[in-house]
Amino acid sequence: MIGGIKVEKATIRANVNDRFWKRYIDVVRNEVVPYQWEALNDRIPDAEPSHAIKNFRIAAGESDGEFYGMVFQDSDVAKWLEAVAYLLEEKRDSELEALADDVIELLGRAQQPDGYLNTYYTVKEPGKRWTNLRDNHELYCAGHLIEAAVAYFQATGKRRFLDIMCKYADYIGTVFGRGEGQIPGYDGHQEIELALLKLYEATGNENYLKLSQYFIDQRGQQPHYFDQEKEARGETKPFWYDGGYRYHQAHIPVREQKQAVGHAVRALYMYTAMAGLAAKTGDESLKQACQTLWENVTKRQMYITGGVGSSAFGESFTFDFDLPNDTVYAETCASIALVFWARRMLELEMDGKYADVMERALYNGTISGMDLDGKRFFYVNSLEVWPKACERHDKRHVKPVRQKWFSCACCPPNLARLIASIGHYIYSQTSDALFVHLYVGSNIQTEIGGRSVEIVQETNYPWDGTVRLTVSAESAQEFTLGLRIPGWCRGAEVTINGENVDIAPLTKKGYAYIRRVWRQGDEMVLHFSMPVERIKAHPQVRVNAGKVALQRGPIVYCLEEVDNGPNLANLFLPRDAQLEAHFEPDLLEGVVVITGTAERVDESAWNDELYRPIEPRTYQVPFRAIPYYAWCNRGEGEMTVWVNEK
């Protein structure tokens, strides 16, 4: 109970008309989804081939050829379909819907009589199903297809895709478990667990909830299933990552895990499922594990941008405070997974720290993975880029410009489905309360206490901290509005119908709880002050010693060579520098930039010397910082988030 409210929340979808996010949704609709459809059909010149649609045609017996691509190539089609579903939910499009229906029918034809659906094993290794769960992503692909099917059913009301995936999930339920003749295993890449939760929520079938529970509970138990499986394959070498299974978060049972380790996306998908299960079942030990892992990730292993997974080796977490800027991995999918986890954590407890991280990742670490026009993508999201250094073997994973496509193309369709579904992250509700997690121009119609309520939200967030909420109720009724007070905000003001409201005594864990009888046309105005802030890293983050980052509201900033010249490492920001923020409508689709005066070391004093015993001379230069998410939209060049401070 928080403020007398039972914290058992359901997310609700908002209609988004926000200037910032509507532009992104339109880009996904008009550019990304069509572009990715062409990519899935291998029609993008000079881009990595996908072959994903062709794989399904081969599996359905409708085309000749061999399987091509990663073992998880099916998941790219699944995520594309899920993005399409969210777009159709926002606005029906008969042509796009017909295309999606055709793909769904193709999946149906590729499905085996017992329900199995995986093109790699159907085409390339028939007869070897479930023989390498550790490496080959069978259940991962199934999970993404399930997520897509749930989204498509909720968007269109059509059951065909859902029925296909229920048949597959029912089959999986007969294969896996602790019963006689069942496989006591789980997938190497977590995903099925969170997908089964969604399938349970959509169908009410408790078998899916129990199956998700099984996969979570079985992970890391002894004797270790991956060892048994390896022995059955005749494999003798130790696992490549560490000789054990930290990579898969399968080294110990999940409730015993205190620190995020291994592959970041796998970890966060698992934590998302754990949080969802804890909320559904009331499992206190699972809840405590989630809370412990949340503190470790967000207070020891997360970048200021909401990026996670600092090492290219294994796309993984490493150890506390190891957050290099130039060799960072910070996969786009990992920030997306952090958003998923944060939303599920809000179902466990209403605490603003979860929504704060969700917002940080949304505005910084996720959308940085795509050009503003939606046609090129980052897999890796570095916080410092020197293009020449990207040629070194230890930095080859860092690209100085976004790519058209990838042979491992998990990130582009993942980002598309996240952006298209943004309306699901703004609000949640209980029987007598509505919570506002994100400040995004939107409107929702819902029922509270059995009566219809509409909320209209108007704002120019994230550039402006003023938010207007208008309530339309069919009759006067009492309920609670829970308003998130952002963690970055040092001063929040609230008025209702023009009268000031003291929110200090009403605020608990980052949410102001305003309970009153709401009437038609009641208007609430929130104002969050948005000064430019200089952010310091924890002293144990060694790479950022003596450096500062700039943030305004939820937006993290960076410096680019195009604005500030080369050798950004030679730029220093004086402690007393005056920083100004102003909106530039014609820059990068309209952004607030930060300007001021910095100092540069005078390189001319060195002549041809490499080292000199001198006090460096400096001179003043203007500088301009832009939002991090928008970097690399004006050509190749240096970039840095953390700036030397003087």
Side-chain angles (χ1 to χ4, degrees):
M1 303 283 285
I2 297 177
I5 296 167
K6 185 181 180 184
V7 184
E8 181 182 330
K9 291 155 289 298
T11 56
I12 47 179
R13 186 186 71 87
N15 297 308
V16 176
N17 49 42
D18 185 78
R19 180 186 181 278
F20 186 93
W21 286 107
K22 188 64 166 62
R23 191 197 74 80
Y24 269 102
I25 293 171
D26 288 344
V27 166
V28 169
R29 179 184 298 278
N30 299 324
E31 302 293 341
V32 179
V33 162
Y35 179 88
Q36 291 181 357
W37 175 248
E38 294 300 296
L40 292 171
N41 287 277
D42 307 315
R43 297 195 288 254
I44 304 294
D46 303 320
E48 289 280 355
S50 168
H51 210 70
I53 294 296
K54 184 71 176 293
N55 287 339
F56 278 105
R57 292 198 175 110
I58 297 169
E62 299 171 4
S63 181
D64 296 327
E66 298 181 357
F67 177 92
Y68 177 89
M70 300 288 185
V71 292
F72 46 82
Q73 212 75 349
D74 291 2
S75 65
D76 292 347
V77 175
K79 284 180 277 191
W80 180 85
L81 279 168
E82 189 176 353
V84 168
Y86 292 127
L87 293 175
L88 294 176
E89 186 179 47
E90 188 221 13
K91 184 175 69 175
R92 295 301 278 266
D93 178 327
S94 59
E95 186 175 340
L96 184 59
E97 189 169 338
L99 179 60
D101 287 344
D102 286 346
V103 175
I104 290 164
E105 289 303 321
L106 173 60
L107 299 185
R109 295 193 299 274
Q111 186 172 35
Q112 302 303 292
D114 59 3
Y116 185 79
L117 181 58
N118 182 287
T119 67
Y120 176 84
Y121 279 102
T122 298
V123 174
K124 190 167 185 175
E125 293 197 80
K128 292 190 176 181
R129 296 180 191 176
W130 319 123
T131 56
N132 190 351
L133 293 171
R134 187 191 70 187
D135 301 329
N136 282 359
H137 293 66
E138 277 171 282
L139 292 170
Y140 168 85
C141 288
H144 274 301
L145 286 166
I146 288 170
E147 284 197 89
V150 169
Y152 201 76
F153 169 67
Q154 292 174 336
T156 66
K158 296 178 178 178
R159 289 197 58 95
R160 173 63 172 150
F161 195 6
L162 190 70
D163 289 341
I164 290 170
M165 295 316 301
C166 283
K167 183 178 180 181
Y168 192 9
D170 292 341
Y171 163 69
I172 291 169
T174 67
V175 172
F176 291 91
R178 302 183 186 94
E180 185 177 352
Q182 289 185 302
I183 297 174
Y186 40 85
D187 205 60
H189 194 313
Q190 300 92 315
E191 158 65 19
I192 186 71
E193 302 88 347
L194 67 88
L196 286 167
L197 270 179
K198 289 187 176 182
L199 192 58
Y200 162 68
E201 290 168 339
T203 65
N205 187 334
E206 290 195 0
N207 289 332
Y208 304 140
L209 177 68
K210 292 175 181 176
L211 187 56
S212 176
Q213 237 175 330
Y214 158 78
F215 284 127
I216 289 294
D217 291 343
Q218 188 70 0
R219 198 170 203 87
Q221 301 290 343
Q222 297 296 328
H224 203 294
Y225 179 73
F226 288 165
D227 288 336
Q228 297 173 322
E229 180 188 67
K230 183 175 74 170
E231 184 178 350
R233 290 195 303 269
E235 185 180 322
T236 58
K237 292 181 180 180
F239 185 67
W240 62 269
Y241 185 72
D242 60 2
Y245 299 113
R246 290 164 62 88
Y247 178 75
H248 312 86
Q249 300 77 44
H251 53 303
I252 54 176
V254 300
R255 289 168 179 79
E256 299 174 22
Q257 297 184 26
K258 310 290 185 188
Q259 182 179 15
V261 299
H263 190 278
V265 177
R266 298 175 194 235
L268 269 59
Y269 280 4
M270 182 178 81
Y271 304 159
T272 301
M274 289 166 61
L277 279 169
K280 292 285 183 294
T281 65
D283 188 325
E284 190 64 27
S285 63
L286 210 53
K287 176 180 177 179
Q288 290 175 0
C290 289
Q291 291 169 330
T292 298
L293 289 162
W294 179 271
E295 293 300 298
N296 176 255
V297 170
T298 61
K299 293 185 177 179
R300 296 291 186 272
Q301 299 200 74
M302 182 182 75
Y303 285 91
I304 190 173
T305 56
V308 288
S310 62
S311 176
F313 180 70
E315 304 178 322
S316 62
F317 292 105
T318 54
F319 54 89
D320 292 356
F321 303 112
D322 179 37
L323 296 167
N325 297 311
D326 58 343
T327 60
V328 54
Y329 206 73
E331 182 182 343
T332 301
C333 282
S335 286
I336 293 168
L338 186 59
V339 173
F340 297 160
W341 185 23
R343 184 176 67 171
R344 283 294 190 183
M345 290 300 288
L346 284 167
E347 295 178 14
L348 274 179
E349 56 174 340
M350 191 58 65
D351 193 321
K353 66 184 180 183
Y354 304 125
D356 285 343
V357 169
M358 181 167 71
E359 179 182 74
R360 181 178 295 278
L362 280 169
Y363 282 99
N364 300 289
T366 61
I367 54 177
S368 59
M370 183 176 76
D371 264 359
L372 293 174
D373 65 5
K375 294 181 179 178
R376 288 179 178 267
F377 306 90
F378 275 141
Y379 197 105
V380 171
N381 294 276
S382 291
L383 279 74
E384 178 183 322
V385 173
W386 179 16
K388 288 182 181 179
C390 296
E391 300 171 8
R392 286 174 25 175
H393 76 280
D394 59 335
K395 292 187 180 180
R396 285 180 184 167
H397 62 285
V398 177
K399 302 301 181 187
V401 295
R402 294 177 179 86
Q403 308 296 298
K404 287 184 176 181
W405 202 249
F406 306 96
S407 56
C408 175
C410 54
C411 295
N414 213 3
L415 184 56
R417 69 172 179 148
L418 174 72
I419 291 171
S421 66
I422 194 69
H424 289 264
Y425 294 84
I426 303 169
Y427 306 94
S428 66
Q429 73 176 82
T430 65
S431 60
D432 67 343
L434 179 71
F435 295 89
V436 185
H437 305 304
L438 299 174
Y439 294 104
V440 174
S442 57
N443 66 283
I444 57 164
Q445 286 188 318
T446 187
E447 284 192 0
I448 301 177
R451 287 182 286 183
S452 177
V453 174
E454 180 182 25
I455 305 289
V456 176
Q457 182 179 165
E458 300 170 275
T459 183
N460 193 30
Y461 202 90
W463 313 125
D464 186 281
T466 299
V467 181
R468 188 181 310 275
L469 297 169
T470 305
V471 179
S472 297
E474 63 181 7
S475 60
Q477 58 180 298
E478 184 178 9
F479 63 90
T480 297
L481 270 178
L483 308 171
R484 172 176 150 260
I485 308 302
W488 51 259
C489 179
R490 308 292 173 250
E493 299 174 357
V494 176
T495 64
I496 298 178
N497 299 329
E499 295 184 6
N500 292 328
V501 177
D502 181 6
I503 61 171
L506 306 175
T507 301
K508 298 180 181 181
K509 292 189 175 182
Y511 283 83
Y513 290 79
I514 300 178
R515 187 168 187 85
R516 56 175 277 145
V517 175
W518 298 93
R519 293 177 169 81
Q520 182 76 12
D522 278 351
E523 184 177 87
M524 178 183 298
V525 177
L526 298 77
H527 179 72
F528 305 123
S529 59
M530 279 189 175
V532 177
E533 291 199 308
R534 303 160 75 110
I535 308 297
K536 286 279 194 177
H538 189 285
Q540 290 195 44
V541 183
R542 300 183 180 201
V543 296
N544 292 335
K547 295 184 177 182
V548 66
L550 300 178
Q551 182 172 327
R552 181 179 180 272
I555 301 293
V556 174
Y557 282 75
C558 71
L559 273 62
E560 277 198 285
E561 180 179 346
V562 65
D563 297 312
N564 302 285
N567 197 2
L568 296 176
N570 216 20
L571 199 69
F572 290 79
L573 187 62
R575 288 184 175 86
D576 60 354
Q578 296 297 308
L579 304 176
E580 297 182 356
H582 63 276
F583 186 72
E584 294 194 12
D586 298 324
L587 178 68
L588 300 167
E589 302 293 341
V591 295
V592 167
V593 300
I594 298 172
T595 57
T597 300
E599 293 186 9
R600 270 193 179 277
V601 172
D602 185 358
E603 296 183 32
S604 65
W606 262 255
N607 296 320
D608 288 331
E609 303 284 346
L610 184 57
Y611 306 103
R612 293 194 67 183
I614 64 169
E615 182 67 26
R617 295 198 306 265
T618 62
Y619 59 95
Q620 291 189 333
V621 293
F623 81 91
R624 178 162 73 167
I626 66 161
Y628 168 77
Y629 75 80
W631 88 274
C632 195
N633 277 276
R634 294 174 293 167
E636 181 177 318
E638 292 183 48
M639 181 277 293
T640 189
V641 169
W642 292 95
V643 184
N644 299 315
E645 189 175 52
K646 183 176 180 181

